[in-house]
Amino acid sequence: MTVNRRFLLRRRPVGDPVPDDFELVSEPVPGAPAGGLVVRNHFASLDPAQRGWMSDEPNYMPPIPLGAPVRATTVGEVVASDNPEFPVGTWVIGLNGIEEYSAILPEFFTQKVDVTAVSSPSKFLSAMGAVGLTAYFAMTDIAKPKAGETLCVSGAAGAVGSVVGQIGKIHGCRTIGIAGGLEKCRRLVDDYGYDVAIDYRGKSEEQLREEIARAAPDGINILFENVGGTVMEAEVFNLARKARVILCGLISEYNAVEPHGLKNLWQILVHEATMHGFLIMDYVARFPEGGAQVAQWIAEGKLRIDEHVQEGIENAYPAFMRLFTGANTGKLLLKLA
Ligand code: NDP
């Protein structure tokens, strides 16, 4: 291969991203920079967080520069190297871009991975990547579930949410999952072991509040929030005293021009709840530890992690937008090689 196709950010999206915010370009494959390497990316992770990085509002990372590839975690093979720690043939994950080849200087996120130990390198972006490990570390380090507690998860049929519910079950929790549509609700129960599934689509905040109240008569002890907006408002009315709220994501806000916010923030005080923001970036050094536990649960049949693979960099835009229409069923990945 002599051509490197790259999916560039051309314009900062306002509201829903549109195709003209991006450009697919073909460039020559780069050489390895001094001390660096060239990675042939096999899979790129498509994550809701990328929408935030496209904007120039304050974030935990600098905005993606205009004209640069859309930042993405990738897994791939080193094909050129000027760094003895990462010889040609090494497989790595790293925070690179949606592009077929990345010329990089290894930084804190660049890690070697053993692809012989897994059925597909994509597992390092799903089960043993930010998805499985977000669920794992946010649950075990922050939420600290106890047997008999009620765990409520929004975005429950998605990549992170589906794993959170299963980890809750492993710890003996009663689990309530909220997702969009009957088919996703069926999967919550049949595939991910949720005790109760609630479809949020087409429901007012009051209707949802009542449905959650019926599902959690003693209140929610752990709220694992992936969505925000009216879904979260309905949930916080139903918190138990001293509940823990894990703020993992607010996907309903990411394309909003005017943020909805949490109009009943007062309910956090009323229930003496604690709200904890979580960022997986803080746990990169502990990925091998978390990955080992997740792999063990999968091997024991206690955990199922689904992938939804879209093919080809030319499909990057429609693939990414699936996150916001709910059309992804599992960890959304773009296959590049
Ligand atoms: P998912 O696989 O869950 O896909 C996104 C899902 O969100 C969609 O399938 C859809 O499911 C739901 N959704 C989209 N738009 C809306 C909306 N307006 N209202 C309600 N639900 C909506 O993605 P991930 O598992 O990768 O991410 C889930 C959340 O976790 C995101 O908020 C993300 O930002 C966050 N996250 C945070 C991390 C951290 O370190 N803090 C790390 C990784 C993810 P449905 O069909 O059910 O509506």
Side-chain angles (χ1 to χ4, degrees):
M1 289 276 278
T2 53
V3 171
N4 182 20
R5 290 186 297 165
R6 314 177 82 203
F7 182 64
L8 309 184
L9 181 67
R10 280 294 177 212
R11 196 170 67 179
R12 304 216 176 275
V14 178
D16 288 333
V18 296
D20 282 351
D21 295 332
F22 309 96
E23 187 184 4
L24 185 64
V25 298
S26 295
E27 296 176 2
V29 175
L37 31 133
V38 177
V39 180
R40 172 65 172 118
N41 294 313
H42 282 239
F43 291 91
S45 181
L46 298 179
D47 295 303
Q50 287 161 319
R51 177 61 185 86
W53 303 338
M54 290 172 194
S55 142
D56 55 8
E57 287 196 6
N59 203 318
Y60 59 93
M61 279 205 170
I64 301 168
L66 294 179
V70 171
R71 185 185 295 134
T73 312
T74 67
V75 61
E77 186 178 8
V78 176
V79 292
S81 177
D82 183 45
N83 186 317
E85 265 192 64
F86 296 91
V88 168
T90 310
W91 281 76
V92 290
I93 55 163
L95 198 53
N96 299 318
I98 303 182
E99 54 187 352
E100 290 173 324
Y101 294 85
S102 295
I104 58 162
L105 293 172
E107 35 79 78
F108 79 108
F109 203 81
T110 310
Q111 291 188 1
K112 294 181 201 178
V113 291
D114 177 8
V115 291
T116 62
V118 290
S119 55
S120 163
S122 61
K123 301 295 172 202
F124 291 101
L125 301 180
S126 58
M128 273 84 87
V131 164
L133 301 181
T134 291
Y136 173 75
F137 286 116
M139 284 295 281
T140 54
D141 261 42
I142 315 288
K144 297 187 169 64
K146 294 193 257 317
E149 287 190 318
T150 296
L151 164 72
C152 179
V153 184
S154 59
V160 170
S162 60
V163 186
V164 169
Q166 294 175 84
I167 293 177
K169 288 308 288 183
I170 289 170
H171 286 89
C173 293
R174 184 162 175 278
T175 56
I176 301 167
I178 303 178
L182 291 177
E183 173 54 19
K184 283 201 180 176
C185 285
R186 183 197 65 72
R187 295 185 63 217
L188 286 183
V189 175
D190 292 350
D191 296 348
Y192 305 129
Y194 274 92
D195 294 298
V196 183
I198 296 177
D199 180 3
Y200 74 86
R201 287 199 196 253
K203 289 181 186 155
S204 67
E205 181 268 303
E206 289 77 11
Q207 287 170 317
L208 261 182
R209 191 198 311 181
E210 284 165 19
E211 228 173 298
I212 297 168
R214 281 196 295 277
D218 298 325
I220 297 165
N221 304 105
I222 302 170
L223 173 60
F224 197 104
E225 190 56 46
N226 290 316
V227 165
T230 52
V231 171
M232 185 172 183
E233 284 167 355
E235 292 160 342
V236 298
F237 272 117
N238 286 293
L239 294 177
R241 191 168 162 268
K242 305 267 185 198
R244 290 94 82 198
V245 179
I246 311 301
L247 205 52
C248 177
L250 296 169
I251 195 166
S252 69
E253 304 270 13
Y254 294 173
N255 290 324
V257 179
E258 288 293 329
H260 179 95
L262 187 63
K263 299 204 169 93
N264 56 352
L265 183 62
W266 172 244
Q267 293 299 318
I268 300 288
L269 183 157
V270 167
H271 295 101
E272 299 172 78
T274 41
M275 185 143 63
H276 194 119
F278 174 86
L279 277 181
I280 189 60
M281 302 301 290
D282 287 353
Y283 289 86
V284 171
R286 291 178 59 194
F287 271 23
E289 167 203 332
Q293 177 62 80
V294 168
Q296 187 184 328
W297 280 334
I298 292 172
E300 290 169 356
K302 292 180 179 162
L303 195 57
R304 160 184 179 152
I305 300 186
D306 290 315
E307 294 181 351
H308 184 140
V309 178
Q310 296 277 283
E311 300 253 349
I313 195 166
E314 64 280 6
N315 294 316
Y317 170 76
F320 178 64
M321 292 309 291
R322 284 176 172 269
L323 291 168
F324 302 101
T325 59
N328 68 307
T329 52
K331 170 62 198 143
L332 189 60
L333 299 165
L334 191 63
K335 192 169 191 304
L336 300 174

